[in-house]
Amino acid sequence: MNENKPIRVLIAKIGCDIHERGPITLMTAFRDAGMEVIYTGRYATPERVVQTAMDEDVDIIALSDHTGSMPIIAESVMAELKKNDEMDIHVMAGGLILPSDIPALENMGVKGNYGPGTPLETIIKYTKSLVHPV
Amino acid sequence: MPKENVSLDRKFGHIVRTASQSHIELKPVYNSGDMNHLSYDNDIGDPGIYPYTRGIYPEMFRDRLWLKSFIVSYSTPEETNQAFREYIANGLTDLRILADLPTQCGIDPDHPAAWNSMMCGGVATYGIPTYERMLEGLPLENVVYEFAHMGISNFIYNYSMLVSIMENKGLDLNKLHGNGINDPIRAKLVYECPDFPTDIARRVYMDHIEYAVKKTPRWKPCVPNGVDPQQRGMDVPKELGGCLALATAMIQELKGRGITIDEYGPMVFALDAESDFFETIAKFRAARKMWAVIAKEKLGATHPKSMQLKIGIRTSGLSLQWQKPLNNAARVTLQILSCVLGGVNSIDASSIDEAIGLPSLEARVFNLDTQHIITHEANVPLVADPLGGSYFVEALTSRIEKETNQYLNEIEARGGIFECLESGYLHEVMEANRLKIQREKEEKKRLIVGVNAFQAEGEEGPVNKAIRDVAYRSPTIKDRENMVSEVIGFKAGRDRNAVKRTLKNIYMAAKSGENLNPPMIDAAKAGATIGEVVGIIRTGYGIPYDPFNQIQMPEMVKQIAGQGGNK
């Protein structure tokens, strides 16, 4: 992969979760770190998220949710990616994620799984390493 | 082996900023010169006397203590009912109701977009059965209820639910107390709420206000909300200015419907209590004064009561941190103290575990006890406005008033608050300040203990661990499936003709311009759901039934709208 090509990230919120401060803060931080970021806005569907990810040719889908429903949301996105044969798009998750939900998310192939208060540098460093493994 | 030498830095933990949270530059000392421009009678005045800077009651908390409030809304109506009972036993005096996120968006649990957030953040109050279970055995007369929802559809609908239940029980509607946020600026600016576009939201919110003022005089059907805009990025003058601008626009529009500000009575704002202690206190003082002046000078209030502003508080959830959650106890305590010193009327304090999940019972009892300690051990509320006359607090109050007035002038020059919403101006202002704060945190010009400064070293202690472990679980797939079945069963079991007839009346009112609230109450009684009433109003306006554009309108709505089927 071309190391000079900026990493492209789609930040997505699925369902009716209204908590937007996290994804917007992350959007700014990712851009500051030289990535190209698209944000779905709230109230998206798994179908729309995956379609946007394909149309925008992103490297990563970053799911944000603060309702405690991340396993349900992530499962629907992974299924949609599989359906479209787009399993090489990385999926990360962040927000209100209970420690007890992390094993299930990891089993699905969802990376990161960052809880509230994770330092932005940690997320950025990991995001870069996902696309450009050292 | 000799121990290492310790080096000590006298400057460790020193002050890093000289401005308040809203970037108001502060001097190291204030003196009488900072009050020269103020007149005691015109700008400050005794508590209970215009312009109410020092409070709306002559004896303030000796006369009546602030109401102690929580939003209580767990996944099921039964859990929520139980929690209300436990909090009431611990001193809750103001019952705030919320719903799960899909309901707040105006859709039912059987809508496909509901699944991912169903029963999250509250009860799926899709219709009257959930309401009856949630409020079973709780008093309805002479108790303060509040609606904290986001979508404008939710206020007229929830109000109709409460009224229906009271009427069904033969209770007195004059004894319905409380308020609903019903703020169309917040609904769009902060939440982009999908239920209604702003033009429809403006009609629905005014219909509800007009009806409620006439029908239930003790119910405040509009509470301009600064809490959520502030949490999303607005600074204090913008938070307060937004509330004042909406309240002014609302009262002016109400006048067009034949109701004066004197008939409307006192105004209520929902304001934020942030971590900046003195700025928060000064904001409450400035808010009361500014509303009094606007009500009297601009809106023609003649009765003292209609110049009064009551302030309901939600303490800042955003200020609470996931790291070292025990520290949140200090944050919340200071925020509550600022509310008491600022003379507010009700306090809904966030809980120390709120950055982790929905609050636990113990964290909330701690919250109520903090207020009891401030009252009975610290004796803080014995004297009204104890900071009145402080050089600094009076100067800061005056400074916030000045900056807020500048913002109000800007809004007016741009055509008013709704024009500023539609043009994107409000969003720009909010986002610019949010970004400024994010940068300050990154550059450590704004320190948050445990987050970007004074981080924990090594293993976390047992107290912090325990706070994190009590997080409330989100509903399982099974819980959600059961809810979907419940709704489908409820819809199938209703008197279909009664639902259709009442929905048709809403449809006709939407088209003709008649007030939407009376047919809404009939529809609530007949068992119409939130998704159906939102859909029928949208249909009446000629826009798609479903706010998410994912489902078809039900057969009976097609028939009502004359789009095929039997009339």
Side-chain angles (χ1 to χ4, degrees):
Chain A
M1 188 177 285
N2 180 1
E3 294 271 331
N4 294 323
K5 184 177 163 276
I7 295 172
R8 287 174 68 78
V9 185
L10 176 68
I11 299 179
K13 283 191 87 71
I14 291 175
C16 300
D17 179 30
I18 52 180
H19 298 86
E20 203 179 36
R21 188 90 184 213
I24 291 202
T25 301
L26 197 61
M27 181 168 72
T28 308
F30 276 169
R31 281 182 185 153
D32 289 351
M35 300 182 216
E36 293 176 351
V37 190
I38 304 137
Y39 172 43
T40 59
R42 286 170 281 211
Y43 317 118
T45 60
E47 296 77 17
R48 203 181 99 208
V49 168
V50 169
Q51 189 59 49
T52 308
M54 295 190 299
D55 293 347
E56 295 285 349
D57 192 23
V58 302
D59 304 295
I60 296 171
I61 297 172
L63 298 171
S64 158
D65 186 70
H66 288 75
T67 69
S69 305
M70 189 56 90
I72 292 174
I73 289 168
E75 196 168 16
S76 64
V77 171
M78 298 312 275
E80 195 62 23
L81 282 170
K82 201 168 185 182
K83 204 168 91 186
N84 287 281
D85 200 18
E86 290 283 351
M87 296 301 285
D88 54 338
I89 299 177
H90 300 281
V91 177
M92 290 172 59
L96 201 67
I97 295 176
L98 297 178
S100 52
D101 283 339
I102 292 178
L105 287 163
E106 282 177 347
N107 275 340
M108 286 178 219
V110 179
K111 319 264 172 55
N113 302 312
Y114 293 118
T118 309
L120 290 168
E121 311 88 79
T122 309
I123 302 175
I124 290 165
K125 205 172 156 197
Y126 181 74
T127 308
K128 286 181 172 170
S129 76
L130 262 186
V131 183
H132 303 304
V134 244
Chain B
M1 204 171 108
K3 288 187 177 172
E4 271 179 56
N5 289 334
V6 173
S7 67
L8 187 146
D9 178 6
R10 171 64 183 85
K11 292 203 161 156
F12 181 82
H14 200 266
I15 291 168
V16 300
R17 59 187 288 135
T18 55
S20 72
Q21 188 162 332
S22 295
H23 306 102
I24 296 174
E25 200 57 44
L26 304 177
K27 303 193 292 185
V29 181
Y30 286 74
N31 57 35
S32 59
D34 296 297
M35 282 178 64
N36 275 346
H37 65 296
L38 299 173
S39 121
Y40 185 79
D41 288 342
N42 294 334
D43 296 303
I44 303 169
D46 282 346
I49 292 173
Y50 181 89
Y52 305 109
T53 311
R54 305 193 61 194
I56 60 171
Y57 306 119
E59 297 197 352
M60 283 308 292
F61 296 129
R62 286 200 193 199
D63 183 7
R64 62 193 88 180
L65 214 53
W66 66 91
L67 291 163
K68 298 180 190 76
S69 177
F70 290 133
I71 291 173
V72 179
S73 201
Y74 295 99
S75 290
T76 64
E78 289 76 14
E79 285 170 280
T80 303
N81 185 278
Q82 186 55 33
F84 267 127
R85 289 164 185 267
E86 281 160 8
Y87 299 141
I88 288 169
N90 281 284
L92 186 80
T93 50
D94 175 351
L95 286 64
R96 291 195 187 185
I97 290 174
L98 197 63
D100 71 346
L101 292 156
T103 306
Q104 292 192 61
C105 290
I107 59 175
D108 291 338
D110 57 349
H111 188 293
W115 182 256
N116 289 311
S117 342
M118 189 191 307
M119 303 160 80
C120 294
V123 186
T125 46
Y126 61 84
I128 205 145
T130 44
Y131 244 85
E132 286 172 341
R133 270 145 55 202
M134 182 169 79
L135 300 178
E136 195 185 348
L138 301 178
L140 296 170
E141 290 180 332
N142 297 325
V143 173
V144 176
Y145 279 92
E146 297 194 39
F147 298 147
H149 307 67
M150 63 164 171
I152 289 303
S153 58
N154 276 243
F155 300 100
I156 190 168
Y157 186 71
N158 279 284
Y159 172 85
S160 300
M161 287 286 168
L162 266 190
V163 167
S164 299
I165 292 173
M166 289 184 76
E167 284 183 347
N168 286 343
K169 288 176 184 276
L171 299 175
D172 182 0
L173 289 182
N174 287 311
K175 294 179 180 164
L176 174 63
H177 289 230
N179 63 65
I181 298 277
N182 199 30
D183 174 341
I185 300 292
R186 162 186 179 256
K188 259 318 154 209
L189 177 66
V190 181
Y191 299 124
E192 290 170 75
C193 191
D195 57 352
F196 298 139
T198 301
D199 60 332
I200 302 180
R202 287 183 71 176
R203 152 84 185 282
V204 174
Y205 108 107
M206 284 307 302
D207 274 7
H208 170 48
I209 294 167
E210 181 188 0
Y211 182 82
V213 168
K214 291 177 184 163
K215 191 83 176 174
T216 48
R218 307 300 300 273
W219 183 264
K220 287 291 165 196
C222 176
V223 178
N225 177 294
V227 182
D228 300 304
Q230 153 91 266
Q231 297 280 291
R232 185 58 184 70
M234 291 294 197
D235 64 17
V236 157
K238 313 294 189 305
E239 174 199 3
L240 181 51
C243 292
L244 290 163
L246 175 65
T248 304
M250 186 272 283
I251 292 292
Q252 283 168 334
E253 212 172 324
L254 203 56
K255 201 174 175 186
R257 293 182 177 226
I259 295 173
T260 66
I261 186 170
D262 284 326
E263 288 168 85
Y264 187 83
M267 181 60 61
V268 184
F269 284 178
L271 296 177
D272 191 14
E274 270 295 332
S275 286
D276 192 305
F277 190 70
F278 289 107
E279 184 178 86
T280 304
I281 296 168
K283 171 174 74 182
F284 300 145
R285 301 175 87 252
R288 277 190 299 267
K289 181 192 172 189
M290 292 186 77
W291 178 250
V293 172
I294 290 171
K296 188 179 181 187
E297 306 293 337
K298 190 169 180 171
L299 301 171
T302 58
H303 194 282
K305 268 197 180 313
S306 33
M307 302 168 199
Q308 291 174 353
L309 175 70
K310 296 183 177 180
I311 300 175
I313 294 298
R314 170 115 178 102
T315 70
S316 169
L318 191 68
S319 70
L320 303 183
Q321 304 301 330
W322 189 86
Q323 294 92 334
K324 298 205 259 184
L326 179 58
N327 289 342
N328 292 331
R331 295 186 178 101
V332 173
T333 302
L334 283 165
Q335 289 159 1
I336 294 173
L337 186 59
S338 72
C339 295
V340 175
L341 293 173
V344 307
N345 302 80
S346 77
I347 299 176
D348 173 358
S350 296
S351 295
I352 59 172
D353 53 0
E354 200 146 318
I356 297 138
L358 286 188
S360 61
L361 174 75
E362 195 178 9
R364 287 196 142 168
V365 171
F366 166 78
N367 237 320
L368 291 168
D369 283 347
T370 303
Q371 297 177 59
H372 300 320
I373 290 167
I374 285 173
T375 305
H376 301 290
E377 298 181 27
N379 293 330
V380 178
L382 292 186
V383 176
D385 188 35
L387 297 180
S390 145
Y391 302 133
F392 172 45
V393 171
E394 295 298 355
L396 189 57
T397 303
S398 169
R399 173 71 184 270
I400 289 172
E401 181 188 352
K402 189 177 151 201
E403 292 208 3
T404 306
N405 268 325
Q406 283 167 356
Y407 181 60
L408 284 172
N409 291 338
E410 184 68 35
I411 289 174
E412 201 157 306
R414 290 170 178 270
I417 188 79
F418 283 100
E419 183 56 43
C420 289
L421 174 72
E422 295 294 316
S423 72
Y425 172 70
L426 295 182
H427 193 271
E428 272 170 40
V429 167
M430 189 171 74
E431 178 57 15
N433 193 53
R434 185 205 63 79
L435 197 56
K436 193 171 175 180
I437 292 169
Q438 183 176 346
R439 299 261 186 268
E440 285 171 355
K441 285 182 187 164
E442 282 162 17
E443 291 162 13
K444 306 213 173 184
K445 290 176 180 162
R446 188 183 280 254
L447 301 187
I448 311 294
V449 176
V451 179
N452 67 353
F454 313 103
Q455 281 107 320
E457 297 267 341
E459 184 99 350
E460 187 174 51
V463 180
N464 278 304
K465 256 193 191 130
I467 293 172
R468 199 165 289 131
D469 284 344
V470 297
Y472 181 82
R473 297 280 317 183
S474 70
T476 61
I477 289 179
K478 186 79 194 142
D479 294 334
R480 297 177 202 224
E481 284 169 352
N482 290 343
M483 176 52 73
V484 174
S485 314
E486 179 187 317
V487 175
I488 292 171
F490 170 72
K491 285 183 177 174
R494 296 173 300 182
D495 177 349
R496 192 173 176 282
N497 288 331
V499 176
K500 188 178 166 188
R501 178 177 48 76
T502 55
L503 287 180
K504 186 171 183 180
N505 289 340
I506 295 178
Y507 176 79
M508 300 304 287
K511 281 187 104 67
S512 70
E514 294 280 304
N515 194 303
L516 286 161
N517 213 145
M520 188 75 84
I521 292 170
D522 293 337
K525 285 180 183 165
T529 63
I530 179 75
E532 289 165 343
V533 301
V534 166
I536 197 75
I537 292 173
R538 293 173 58 94
T539 307
Y541 269 88
I543 61 170
Y545 174 86
D546 176 17
F548 288 80
N549 258 322
Q550 291 177 17
I551 58 169
Q552 296 294 311
M553 61 171 76
E555 192 56 34
M556 76 169 113
V557 177
K558 279 185 195 160
Q559 291 167 7
I560 292 167
Q563 298 181 11
N566 297 323
K567 296 265 166 82

